[in-house]
Amino acid sequence: MTNALPRTHLTRFDPAGRLVRSSETSALFVLISVIATLGVVAYSLFLLNPENRGDVLPYLLVLVAESILVFQALLSMWTILSSGYEPRDFPYHEAKRLLLANADDDSLHLDGRVVLVDVFITVYGEELSTVRRTVEAAVALRGAHRTWVLDDGRSDAVKDSAAELGAWYVRRLSGNGAKAGNLNHALSIAKGDLFAVFDADFVPDPDFLIETVPFFTDENVAFVQTPQAYGNLTTVIARGAAFMQTVFYRFAQRGRNRFNAAFCVGTNVIFRRAAIDDIGGMHTDSKSEDVWTALSLHERGWRSIYIPDVLAVGDAPETIEAFSKQQLRWATGGFEILLTHNPLNPKRRLTGDQRIQYFVTATFYLTGICPLLLILVPPLEIYFDLRPMDLTITPLTWGLYYAGFYAMQILLAWFVVGSFRWETLTLSTVSFPIYTKALWNVITGKDVGWHVTGTATRRSPFNFIVPQLLFFVFLALTSVVAIWRDANHGSLTLATAWNVTNTLILAAFIGAALHEHRAAVHPRPAPAPAAEAAPSAVAPVTIVARPLPAPVLGGTGGAAVATDIVGPLRSTRTRAARGGS
Amino acid sequence: MTWPNRIRLFFGLLVVLAIVAVCTIAFNQRQLRAESASASIVSQEYSVGSIYAGTVTEQLVRAGDTVKAGDTLFLVHSPLLARDLASESITESDLGVPVDPDGTLAVTSSVDGTVSEVFAPVGDFAQSGEVLAAIDRAQTLTVEAEFTLTSRDYGRMSDGTIVDLLLPDDRSIRGIVTEIDVETVDGLATSTVTIESAALKAQSLEGLYRPGTPVRATLHLRDDGPLSGVSDMLRDFREQVGL
């Protein structure tokens, strides 16, 4: 049992290789959260105390940034403290016991009825080996199901692989609605009761369906979400991006579960088809179709489930380009909710809990803009002698309050992740141009192209970090001025220390970009990670009585979409009715 | 990198360099200034006393009154004076002030100025030489300012250093350092600086221009940093184009 779980950012092992039981339920953790909350409150009182107010411009910058951070920290700790909630109740366990009721085949039974499950794998230009790995695992899932490869990348190699591995292949000839459109199109063909969705790089655990399907015994459950666990912790960016989400998957989603506000993250999720039909299909008007779909379902009164078990392992963005595009997409989705669909608006049919949780989601990426404001504070002091806080406070007092907030947050994060991750700190400090751009795009209604997270183009990372490069130069030069000033005065100031720290953080990021750039220019022969990802987990593929898709090809009322559908092992090509309005 | 991004980066770098340059010059200008910890207007104070001991019989001025040299401020009745006059051991011309044969002596102001305080009201007995009133002498307004300077900044200040004085009504006048008094505390030079300003001296004592008015004094320290040449050049340029 020791190595049954893959190494991801959500799993922790002790030096002996045993899985470390999650710390979520630890009483010490609750204590630390409470102390951290006190630290946050003390820090906000310190900031708001008029006696400590400094010069107006830097004070406002600090006040705005810290208010957002404090607001998010307080609410996320509230969510975290609510996270000790177990969604598996007696009906679930009973349903799970009866799930594989039929001894002859592996058909899934729910409430005495066979449920037809479709497994969708959305493909959009990912590498063939990645897709094959996922399809293989999806076909091998325990429990009867149909596996569909929904290829928006229109790759014949993927088509052949799907047929070979035992999956259905669907290709649509328009790209409307991106991933959500792809899913909606598939739903017009595959008419199962439940459908699971996996991104092309997410390899599901064989027990995925066994663990999730029993939840649907509750008629109200619309979807069951499992975490996005990342196995490719090989680059600075991948580690930073993965661990950045640890708190979200370990705690936030679990806490949201209690408020019936856990949202869908687009992959490793299984939906009830009736629920999606109820809201008129997957949401297609947004870059963050997943959150919007969940929001629509919650507004219609459906229930969502999140389970923290790692049931699929995928790839975190490895390159700066992939990371930038992923974050831009997610942040845009969040800001869209904030600006076009404010969950606090009384018109929305949401419970109070859900309103607050979606408001937290919608404003979460504002925290990504805060570093921009905070980075500007030391230069203001260095060049213009403008200080955010009154001079009469000793740096020690200031440091104590500051530590009350930040040191406690880092301690909390350390407790969550199990170690201090400098990559996360670096990434969250330097990513402000992405979030600022997202906010700007949403305000101006500018549309940006859709991009798959994992897709790696071999473009120089420097194309995506021009703002960071400029900020680095600015901070580096400012540091020189600051050190010169301090040398003249013969005393080190707090502003210099902060400015140099910020410069070093940006330098570390640019170092990572240089590293990536060199790797892109001189690609080394693959360092054979294949051995590590050996297909040992994939048990012998036993395809027992796989139901075939219903012959529904013309059933969509003749939508003007041409489709290729290729069945497994048959390679019969069928062209859907074209036109006919 | 793609060419559009290279161009963006190039122009971005130019903008960053320009911002840093402008900010550094602003910073350098600020480095050349030192703000006073506290500063206020002071004046030469002149005391008025009676040369003979006696009783103050009349007070002709009150605090705040403007007086001229020779104006009579008090009348003091002195039996001693009466006796001396009677015995002719002293005469009016010896005293240089108007006296009455009955021993009443006029106490006059010897300077132009403003009465700042009266110490002996009518009926008081004044000893010989006792101060009866204080007069702020006109045209002697200066500023006394306290600066806390690093030793380096202290070395960049001397007699004749230019000082900007900001009055409470936001009017700014210029002065120069005439006297420096220094004491070192914790390695910092706590200097008390006397600043003279022709504009301030010319003011009559009224409104804000009176001793005790707080002002903000900004010292223009001598620039001997690496950017001094650049700053001078820019200042010359600014003056030449008339900004």
Side-chain angles (χ1 to χ4, degrees):
Chain A
M1 196 57 206
T2 48
N3 282 324
L5 270 169
R7 273 174 193 274
T8 71
H9 75 288
L10 289 178
T11 46
R12 280 162 61 191
F13 299 91
D14 65 11
R18 281 184 297 267
L19 180 72
V20 175
R21 280 299 302 148
S22 55
S23 49
E24 285 90 328
T25 47
S26 155
L28 181 59
F29 178 70
V30 174
L31 179 66
I32 291 177
S33 302
V34 170
I35 294 174
T37 310
L38 294 178
V40 171
V41 171
Y43 182 62
S44 4
L45 290 178
F46 165 76
L47 277 184
L48 292 172
N49 186 348
E51 280 179 17
N52 300 338
R53 201 181 294 155
D55 296 303
V56 64
L57 179 63
Y59 177 72
L60 278 182
L61 286 177
V62 168
L63 197 67
V64 168
E66 301 289 1
S67 300
I68 294 171
L69 293 174
V70 161
F71 171 79
Q72 285 286 338
L74 279 177
L75 281 174
S76 76
M77 271 182 297
W78 174 55
T79 312
I80 285 172
L81 286 177
S82 317
S83 67
Y85 168 77
E86 179 52 66
R88 295 180 178 87
D89 48 7
F90 173 72
Y92 167 86
H93 290 294
E94 192 62 10
K96 192 172 176 183
R97 191 172 66 80
L98 300 172
L99 192 63
L100 295 169
N102 196 338
D104 299 334
D105 61 30
D106 63 349
S107 58
L108 296 171
H109 295 256
L110 212 52
D111 305 324
R113 208 164 58 76
V114 174
V115 284
L116 180 54
V117 180
D118 293 308
V119 174
F120 295 146
I121 296 161
T122 53
V123 180
Y124 186 54
E126 288 87 351
E127 276 177 39
L128 183 64
S129 59
T130 310
V131 177
R132 279 186 67 97
R133 204 177 45 170
T134 305
V135 173
E136 208 170 341
V139 170
L141 286 177
R142 289 179 63 205
H145 64 279
R146 301 180 299 201
T147 304
W148 300 77
V149 176
L150 313 179
D151 187 12
D152 261 5
R154 300 179 200 138
S155 154
D156 288 334
V158 170
K159 177 157 65 173
D160 297 341
S161 292
E164 177 197 331
L165 295 171
W168 288 80
Y169 178 86
V170 180
R171 177 188 294 185
R172 59 183 185 139
L173 296 184
S174 82
N176 295 338
K179 182 168 151 190
N182 196 1
L183 289 173
N184 283 336
H185 174 255
L187 286 172
S188 68
I189 299 160
K191 305 259 179 180
D193 305 303
L194 306 173
F195 66 94
V197 180
F198 295 99
D199 284 349
D201 56 350
F202 271 92
V203 179
D205 184 274
D207 278 342
F208 180 86
L209 296 177
I210 306 295
E211 291 293 328
T212 56
V213 170
F215 281 110
F216 290 95
T217 188
D218 178 349
E219 287 291 315
N220 228 346
V221 169
F223 64 88
V224 179
Q225 177 67 54
T226 71
Q228 285 190 0
Y230 298 119
N232 62 329
L233 307 177
T234 48
T235 68
V236 172
I237 305 294
R239 280 193 297 272
F243 285 105
M244 216 183 243
Q245 295 172 46
T246 314
V247 179
F248 179 71
Y249 287 114
R250 272 241 174 92
F251 298 99
Q253 279 277 61
R254 281 169 60 117
R256 299 175 70 102
N257 213 8
R258 168 168 285 180
F259 308 127
N260 190 23
F263 63 75
C264 163
V265 294
T267 178
N268 317 343
V269 57
I270 178 164
F271 286 100
R272 182 192 296 277
R273 190 199 168 94
I276 294 300
D277 287 345
D278 184 43
I279 59 166
M282 305 290 284
H283 203 284
T284 52
D285 297 336
S286 166
K287 299 287 173 289
S288 281
E289 77 295 335
D290 33 25
V291 182
W292 279 93
T293 301
L295 179 56
S296 307
L297 286 169
H298 284 136
E299 284 183 0
R300 298 279 297 174
W302 288 94
R303 188 175 162 214
S304 63
I305 301 278
Y306 171 80
I307 48 174
D309 308 63
V310 174
L311 291 174
V313 179
D315 291 339
E318 279 181 353
T319 63
I320 287 171
E321 177 183 3
F323 173 75
S324 303
K325 292 187 169 170
Q326 179 205 51
Q327 292 296 311
L328 182 67
R329 197 157 57 80
W330 289 357
T332 307
F335 291 139
E336 274 172 357
I337 292 179
L338 182 66
L339 294 178
T340 66
H341 201 90
N342 186 348
L344 298 183
N345 188 327
K347 273 191 288 185
R348 315 270 166 252
R349 288 189 47 210
L350 290 167
T351 65
D353 289 340
Q354 288 172 335
R355 282 178 201 281
I356 293 174
Q357 289 297 333
Y358 275 105
F359 188 70
V360 170
T361 304
T363 52
F364 175 73
Y365 286 100
L366 288 177
T367 59
I369 301 179
C370 295
L372 170 65
L373 307 183
L374 295 178
I375 273 180
L376 293 177
V377 172
L380 277 178
E381 178 170 340
I382 290 163
Y383 287 125
F384 304 115
D385 210 20
L386 299 171
R387 287 153 214 271
M389 289 288 144
D390 194 353
L391 280 173
T392 54
I393 307 161
T394 65
L396 184 69
T397 319
W398 165 241
L400 270 179
Y401 280 106
Y402 201 70
F405 181 33
Y406 280 98
M408 283 313 293
Q409 292 294 315
I410 287 177
L411 182 66
L412 201 63
W414 179 80
F415 209 84
V416 169
V417 178
S419 61
F420 177 70
R421 294 284 169 175
W422 66 271
E423 294 97 337
T424 304
L425 208 62
T426 305
L427 263 196
S428 48
T429 309
V430 303
S431 300
F432 58 87
I434 304 173
Y435 306 120
T436 314
K437 188 176 168 191
L439 182 60
W440 179 248
N441 284 349
V442 172
I443 290 172
T444 58
K446 193 178 153 199
D447 198 15
V448 287
W450 201 82
H451 189 91
V452 173
T453 300
T455 327
T457 57
R458 287 282 163 214
R459 279 192 281 175
S460 166
F462 289 105
N463 283 313
F464 304 93
I465 59 165
V466 172
Q468 282 95 334
L469 286 172
L470 297 178
F471 264 91
F472 170 70
V473 173
F474 174 67
L475 290 186
L477 292 175
T478 305
S479 293
V480 172
V481 174
I483 290 168
W484 172 44
R485 175 185 85 150
D486 284 4
N488 281 343
H489 288 214
S491 64
L492 179 74
T493 60
L494 213 55
T496 309
W498 272 118
N499 202 64
V500 170
T501 308
N502 292 339
T503 312
L504 291 179
I505 290 174
L506 271 163
F509 177 67
I510 288 166
L514 262 177
H515 191 73
E516 189 184 315
H517 177 75
R518 253 185 260 131
V521 174
H522 310 288
R524 268 184 279 165
E532 164 200 324
S536 56
V538 182
V541 182
T542 47
I543 308 170
V544 189
R546 293 276 177 265
L548 297 178
V552 291
L553 301 182
T556 52
V561 179
T563 309
D564 268 353
I565 300 177
V566 183
L569 305 171
R570 295 189 305 161
S571 291
T572 49
R573 170 181 289 207
T574 327
R575 204 163 265 284
R578 181 193 281 266
S581 66
Chain B
M1 266 181 114
T2 59
W3 275 106
N5 277 328
R6 280 172 209 215
I7 292 165
R8 268 172 63 199
L9 184 61
F10 175 73
F11 283 106
L13 281 177
L14 287 188
V15 171
V16 166
L17 289 178
I19 290 173
V20 171
V22 168
C23 289
T24 306
I25 287 170
F27 158 78
N28 195 47
Q29 292 294 319
R30 189 167 53 68
Q31 288 297 88
L32 297 176
R33 288 199 296 265
E35 296 284 332
S36 54
S38 100
S40 65
I41 295 179
V42 293
S43 71
Q44 269 184 28
E45 203 169 65
Y46 198 87
S47 336
V48 179
S50 165
I51 26 182
Y52 266 89
T55 310
V56 178
T57 53
E58 206 165 332
Q59 178 191 337
L60 302 166
V61 291
R62 280 178 302 174
D65 287 356
T66 309
V67 293
K68 290 224 173 322
D71 285 359
T72 300
L73 311 179
F74 298 95
L75 292 180
V76 174
H77 177 70
S78 169
L80 200 59
L81 176 63
R83 194 196 64 196
D84 286 353
L85 285 172
S87 66
E88 292 191 354
S89 61
I90 202 156
T91 59
E92 185 169 353
S93 58
D94 288 342
L95 292 170
V97 290
V99 289
D100 211 62
D102 71 348
T104 302
L105 162 84
V107 176
T108 57
S109 168
S110 54
V111 294
D112 293 349
T114 309
V115 177
S116 64
E117 205 170 351
V118 173
F119 300 111
V122 172
D124 258 29
F125 186 79
Q127 294 292 347
S128 163
E130 188 179 321
V131 176
L132 300 182
I135 295 173
D136 289 329
R137 194 171 175 179
Q139 256 115 64
T140 60
L141 288 183
T142 55
V143 168
E144 215 168 83
E146 220 170 83
F147 292 90
T148 309
L149 301 171
T150 61
S151 57
R152 193 169 168 279
D153 284 352
Y154 180 71
R156 288 156 61 187
M157 169 180 75
S158 60
D159 283 0
T161 297
I162 293 175
V163 186
D164 275 332
L165 301 168
L166 190 70
L167 294 164
D169 60 357
D170 272 354
R171 263 183 297 177
S172 181
I173 52 179
R174 191 154 264 208
I176 57 164
V177 173
T178 54
E179 206 185 316
I180 302 172
D181 224 16
V182 70
E183 186 185 340
T184 299
V185 181
D186 289 341
L188 288 173
T190 306
S191 337
T192 310
V193 174
T194 308
I195 300 152
E196 282 191 6
S197 159
L200 197 59
K201 273 201 171 148
Q203 289 289 339
S204 53
L205 288 164
E206 58 187 7
L208 289 172
Y209 299 93
R210 61 170 73 249
T213 301
V215 295
R216 237 173 59 199
T218 309
L219 273 175
H220 291 253
L221 300 171
R222 189 174 64 249
D223 187 1
D224 44 26
L227 282 175
S228 58
V230 181
S231 303
D232 288 348
M233 200 179 73
L234 277 173
R235 194 170 44 240
D236 290 351
F237 174 74
R238 230 170 41 205
E239 276 164 18
Q240 200 176 348
V241 298
L243 279 174

